[in-house]
Amino acid sequence: MSQLIFKFHHVFKYFGTHPILENVSLTISRGQRIALIGENGVGKSTLIKMLMGFESTTHGVVDSSKSINIGYVPQSSDAKEPLSGGQIQQKILAETLRNNPDVLILDEPTNHLDQTALTWLSTQLNRFKGTLILICHDRAMIESLNCQIWELHSCKIKIYGSKISNYLEEKENEKMRLLKEYEQHFENIKELKQLIKYKSFNKKTPKGPTDNNQMAYDKRGEKHQKSIQRIIQDAKNRLSQLESIKLDNPYPKGRKGIHFNPKRLRSNLVLSIHSWTKEDLFHDVNLEVLNGDRIVLSGDNGCGKTTFFKTLLNQLSADSGKIKWSPTAVIGYLDQLLDQTDDDESFLNNLKHRFPLIDHFKELQKFGILTNNASFQTLKSLSLGQKKKWVLLNLMLQQCNILLLDEPTNHLDWQSMDELEKSLLDFDGAIIAITHDHYFINRIANRKWRMANHHIEDC
């Protein structure tokens, strides 16, 4: 029998009145491989902090095996070194693995890693013999490690197999079942209201006595009225019960999720780059971007991809060369470090300051933010995935027709990744994305640029 490493006994966790876990019981055994997934902000990082004793429960108990060595790499690290995000991430992962822990807990370990580093990480984790717990939305990595999928949803943990395709199929079937229950629930309410109305306004009295027995007739009439009143009261009781049950529509009306409505580009040539050069990073770059291009820029960590973006945006200066944007260009930039936010303001107030003339609640509802309390929290209190959604919402409201996206799928949950990818496939403009996400590349890219040896080539 496998040795237990962690055990949750009827665990509840609340932040104020906001529930994270409700009556969760689970066990994790030695050698188990788990990929913990769930929507952004649902509480995945909180759950693993509870495993390690960094967060307390509100009710219930978390037991852990004595004298186990835990290696933990959190979602973001502040390293004051002249390295790229991917180089920093790989260095921290390598140091943690060298300690040979009994339990390895990694929070979004693949973020920022290039293909070489991803291959290295996959090899290292497949060799690892201890207990592995990943918070991870990297679809290729999860399947390569044969991790069991655990989903945190509605304050509960649901366990699936290791195949993402099977998980997605089961989730879709579950959504359709919930939709049928939702529709049947309101159909039952409608039928009960109609019954109450019909019985209340159509109280027919029995036919008059045929045997001149008025007393018997009166008793029959009284019995008939009591029967109708009983039917009406039973229907009202049942209606009250049904109306007290709050069901969420799995396909809420008005919710569009991630959905771009760009301003029209009036020229086919979006961007021309001539002899673009920056220090020791890239030399003599000559490229063109056309309307309808969905370009993926790849290259090793630290080769200068993000710097290249920032020179195009004039956030950093190039040493020589010139670029020319379309005169109708509305450029949107998604920074991989999410430095575009005022962290002390709430999601809603940030939106009001930047877009004072829009219906803020309507936009948040369309985006799917008003389904929880995230819109009223300060941005610094949100998860990185929720902050990324904030930046994406800004790009949507600016009606950008050119998108420069630096690691767009990092930190996003699977539903948000799918919404983003679908919206980019329909995007009426031009896209340049820095990414190492194979699913994203295979689904989105119609052109590929490769940065290597100080050059950028159109592959």
Side-chain angles (χ1 to χ4, degrees), residues 24-39:
V24 170
S25 296
L26 59 84
T27 59
I28 298 175
S29 303
R30 185 176 296 277
Q32 198 166 352
R33 290 172 169 251
I34 297 165
L36 179 60
I37 66 168
E39 291 184 11

Side-chain angles (χ1 to χ4, degrees), residues 35-279:
L36 179 60
I37 66 168
E39 291 184 11
N40 296 130
V42 77
K44 302 182 295 295
S45 296
T46 299
L47 188 148
I48 61 172
K49 287 175 182 175
M50 291 169 69
L51 284 177
M52 295 182 291
F54 297 167
E55 283 276 358
S56 62
T57 67
T58 304
H59 301 291
V61 178
V62 178
D63 287 332
S64 61
S65 179
K66 304 299 180 187
S67 68
I68 56 170
N69 177 21
I70 298 177
Y72 171 52
V73 178
Q75 185 170 169
S76 60
S77 302
D78 298 322
K80 294 177 172 59
E81 301 178 56
L83 301 172
S84 72
Q87 290 170 317
I88 294 168
Q89 182 79 341
Q90 188 173 2
K91 181 179 179 181
I92 295 169
L93 287 165
E95 289 172 351
T96 305
L97 284 162
R98 273 197 296 272
N99 293 329
N100 195 29
D102 302 307
V103 181
L104 188 58
I105 301 177
L106 308 178
D107 197 343
E108 300 288 6
T110 63
N111 284 352
H112 313 297
L113 298 185
D114 61 27
Q115 186 52 52
T116 303
L118 287 169
T119 302
W120 168 83
L121 179 61
S122 178
T123 301
Q124 295 298 316
L125 295 183
N126 271 305
R127 289 175 179 168
F128 180 69
K129 301 302 181 185
T131 303
L132 178 62
I133 304 171
L134 303 174
I135 293 179
C136 185
H137 295 101
D138 186 313
R139 296 157 283 192
M141 182 63 71
I142 289 174
E143 290 208 328
S144 76
L145 297 175
N146 196 33
C147 289
Q148 190 177 49
I149 297 171
W150 287 24
E151 183 180 38
L152 177 54
H153 179 70
S154 298
C155 305
K156 304 286 186 185
I157 293 285
K158 184 167 183 180
I159 299 174
Y160 297 84
S162 59
K163 290 291 183 186
I164 292 173
S165 57
N166 293 344
Y167 161 81
L168 293 173
E169 182 179 353
E170 192 170 340
K171 284 293 290 182
E172 187 59 31
N173 291 338
E174 189 177 318
K175 220 170 193 180
M176 294 307 297
R177 178 183 59 78
L178 290 172
L179 180 62
K180 286 181 181 178
E181 288 180 3
Y182 178 85
E183 291 174 341
Q184 186 60 53
H185 177 79
F186 286 97
E187 183 62 29
N188 292 341
I189 288 175
K190 180 181 176 182
E191 289 176 358
L192 284 169
K193 287 181 176 179
Q194 289 175 340
L195 175 64
I196 293 167
K197 182 178 179 180
Y198 175 78
K199 290 294 183 181
S200 297
F201 293 97
N202 293 275
K203 297 179 181 178
K204 295 181 179 178
T205 56
K207 293 181 180 180
T210 56
D211 55 1
N212 294 321
N213 189 340
Q214 186 66 41
M215 185 178 294
Y217 169 75
D218 288 344
K219 286 184 178 179
R220 286 199 303 274
E222 183 181 348
K223 188 175 181 181
H224 176 73
Q225 292 301 320
K226 285 182 178 180
S227 174
I228 291 174
Q229 288 299 327
R230 194 161 46 247
I231 291 170
I232 293 172
Q233 190 56 51
D234 287 347
K236 285 182 176 180
N237 291 341
R238 177 61 181 150
L239 178 63
S240 178
Q241 289 176 349
L242 289 179
E243 289 183 331
S244 69
I245 300 171
K246 303 300 181 186
L247 292 182
D248 292 326
N249 188 344
Y251 295 97
K253 292 180 179 178
R255 187 190 184 281
K256 291 185 176 181
I258 301 171
H259 180 78
F260 293 96
N261 182 30
K263 293 181 179 177
R264 184 183 171 193
L265 271 169
R266 299 186 179 277
S267 56
N268 190 47
L269 181 60
V270 172
L271 170 65
S272 58
I273 306 171
H274 299 285
S275 303
W276 203 238
T277 299
K278 174 68 174 175
E279 297 170 350

Side-chain angles (χ1 to χ4, degrees), residues 39-45 75 338 377-390 411 413:
E39 291 184 11
N40 296 130
V42 77
K44 302 182 295 295
S45 296
Q75 185 170 169
L338 303 175
Q377 294 176 244
T378 59
L379 290 182
K380 66 182 176 184
S381 70
L382 300 180
S383 72
L384 290 175
Q386 289 171 309
K387 286 179 72 172
K388 175 154 276 187
K389 288 180 179 179
W390 154 250
H411 310 299
D413 56 62

